[in-house]
Amino acid sequence: MAREKMARKKQHDYDDIPGTYVFDAERSRQGFGINMFCMSLMKDENRKAFKANEAEYLKKFNLTAEQTDAILKRDYNRMLELGGNIYFTAKLGATDGHSFQQLAAKMTGSSQQDYASMMLAGGRSVEGNRSRSGKKNAPSKFLRAGGGSSKSAPAKRQAKAKAKAKAKSKAKPKSKTRSAKRK
């Protein structure tokens, strides 16, 4: 019994990030069936049952027709869009004998060697890859230039810790305890 299609109810600023689908609470609910299917592959008997008859095995899970299709086609990007979590869907790849690097290469449309070389060189350039909506290289609103505070989170934590340490050093010395007074 397949579920009805569950579209995203609300658009989020982070939906504009190219090359990924942020796994939020809504996607988690949407992809529950995909993720439970993938988790089932942790057991050898389930992997064997799935490999014996993939379409039949998938009927055990509450999947939409789109989710079932994405799994059968091994369309990992579509699985993520439909609520799959990359760490769970990687179990499907492992069941097929693929490494995480092989899956990532497939998901980026490159060869494993090209993908590895790109990552060793520092990853994909952000130029031209900042926005799905076409805001040409507009920085994310989560970056300082996009409205964030002037201090980074680590700098704020460091300043707060320094202030706390300074305040503690200025505190009055505590009076001696009874046992110390008796001596």
Side-chain angles (χ1 to χ4, degrees), residues 89-108:
T89 57
K91 293 178 187 336
L92 174 58
T95 297
D96 290 337
H98 302 298
S99 70
F100 200 85
Q101 188 180 76
Q102 288 170 314
L103 294 177
K106 182 177 179 175
M107 292 170 73
T108 59

Side-chain angles (χ1 to χ4, degrees), residues 7 16 22 24 47 50 67 79 82 111 125 135 138 140 146-148 170 179:
D16 196 42
V22 176
D24 59 8
R47 289 189 298 272
F50 173 66
Q67 291 170 330
M79 283 186 254
L82 295 171
S111 71
S125 168
K135 297 174 189 166
S140 165
K170 288 183 178 182
S179 62

Side-chain angles (χ1 to χ4, degrees), residues 166-174:
K166 189 175 180 180
K168 192 174 184 179
S169 69
K170 288 183 178 182
K172 291 182 183 178
K174 293 184 179 181

Side-chain angles (χ1 to χ4, degrees), residues 49-59 71-72 74 96:
F50 173 66
K51 291 308 254 178
N53 189 337
E54 294 184 2
E56 189 62 33
Y57 184 82
L58 291 175
K59 290 179 183 177
I71 292 167
L72 292 173
R74 304 305 197 266
D96 290 337

Side-chain angles (χ1 to χ4, degrees), residues 50-174:
F50 173 66
K51 291 308 254 178
N53 189 337
E54 294 184 2
E56 189 62 33
Y57 184 82
L58 291 175
K59 290 179 183 177
K60 295 179 181 183
F61 301 91
N62 195 13
L63 301 169
T64 65
E66 288 176 302
Q67 291 170 330
T68 300
D69 188 56
I71 292 167
L72 292 173
K73 289 180 178 175
R74 304 305 197 266
D75 186 343
Y76 289 90
N77 288 326
R78 184 71 174 138
M79 283 186 254
L80 298 184
E81 183 181 7
L82 295 171
N85 178 291
I86 187 63
Y87 298 105
F88 294 157
T89 57
K91 293 178 187 336
L92 174 58
T95 297
D96 290 337
H98 302 298
S99 70
F100 200 85
Q101 188 180 76
Q102 288 170 314
L103 294 177
K106 182 177 179 175
M107 292 170 73
T108 59
S110 60
S111 71
Q112 186 178 351
Q113 183 56 50
D114 288 345
Y115 176 79
S117 297
M118 174 189 64
M119 295 308 290
L120 289 170
R124 185 175 10 179
S125 168
V126 297
E127 297 307 316
N129 290 309
R130 294 183 187 230
S131 167
R132 282 188 175 128
S133 64
K135 297 174 189 166
K136 187 98 173 152
N137 289 326
S140 165
K141 78 172 200 167
F142 300 109
L143 299 176
R144 184 176 184 270
S149 72
S150 60
K151 279 190 176 180
S152 68
K156 284 181 185 178
R157 283 192 298 273
Q158 190 175 27
K160 191 174 181 178
K162 279 184 181 179
K164 190 175 181 179
K166 189 175 180 180
K168 192 174 184 179
S169 69
K170 288 183 178 182
K172 291 182 183 178
K174 293 184 179 181

